[in-house]
Amino acid sequence: MTLTLLEALRRRYSPRKYASRPLAPQDLALIFEAARWAPSAFNRQPWRFLVTRQGTEAYQRLLAVLSPGNLSWARTAPVLVLAAALEEDERGPNRYALHDLGLACGLLTAQAAALGIYPHFMAGFDKEKAREVFGLPPHVRPVTVIALGYPGPDEPPRERTRHPLHELVFEEAWERPASWAHQEVRA
Ligand SMILES: Cc1cc2nc3c(=O)[nH]c(=O)nc-3n(C[C@H](O)[C@H](O)[C@H](O)COP(=O)(O)O)c2cc1C
């Protein structure tokens, strides 16, 4: 079954248990290729991703920097990724590095969801330890760890909630809900 992009995004959730099925290298390539095409301020492309696969020493080292709550479920993910932002490059400081890393992560999420692969982002990890363990230079800021994999089959369903569209999108004046944002959106 082919899903529309919107439907794939609606179905995606942040798993707390992953299936043991490994990720094919070509699917990983597709996911990060999508991130690569993100727009960025002055096309500075400040995103960097360090990918580790279950069963490797690097994966264990990344797992070890997670907060205990995240560690408990993230160890089921076949792939863990350290996402980092280049806060400075040859042009000088980049105030939009975090924005642009987030945008690249958004595209990565969309491509992954289209493949049935669900990312779970984590801010709960020791940034200084990650910096130290992987030898990140000072201008590189570790931002999230991303678990990637197919969702586990026996995870109890969790309710996912979002603010309604009309609370988020204004038209022509601040806090004036967009007229079309009240309707049910169909993909
Ligand atoms: C930047 C960022 C940091 C997050 N940090 C954590 C985390 O440390 N632990 C966790 O379990 N979930 C974390 N999440 C997942 C969110 O809680 C989750 O995306 C949100 O509740 C919406 O649920 P959904 O992704 O299933 O739609 C994080 C998400 C983002 C985008």
Side-chain angles (χ1 to χ4, degrees), residues 97-108:
L98 285 181
H99 175 280
D100 293 346
L101 171 65
L103 192 45
C105 286
L107 296 194
L108 165 168

Side-chain angles (χ1 to χ4, degrees), residues 12-14 16 67 70 73 120-124 144 158 160 162:
R12 184 213 60 88
Y13 61 91
S14 298
R16 286 206 165 78
S67 65
N70 285 332
W73 57 263
H120 189 155
F121 293 85
M122 289 169 270
T144 53
R158 257 179 305 129
R160 292 171 64 235
R162 292 297 189 265

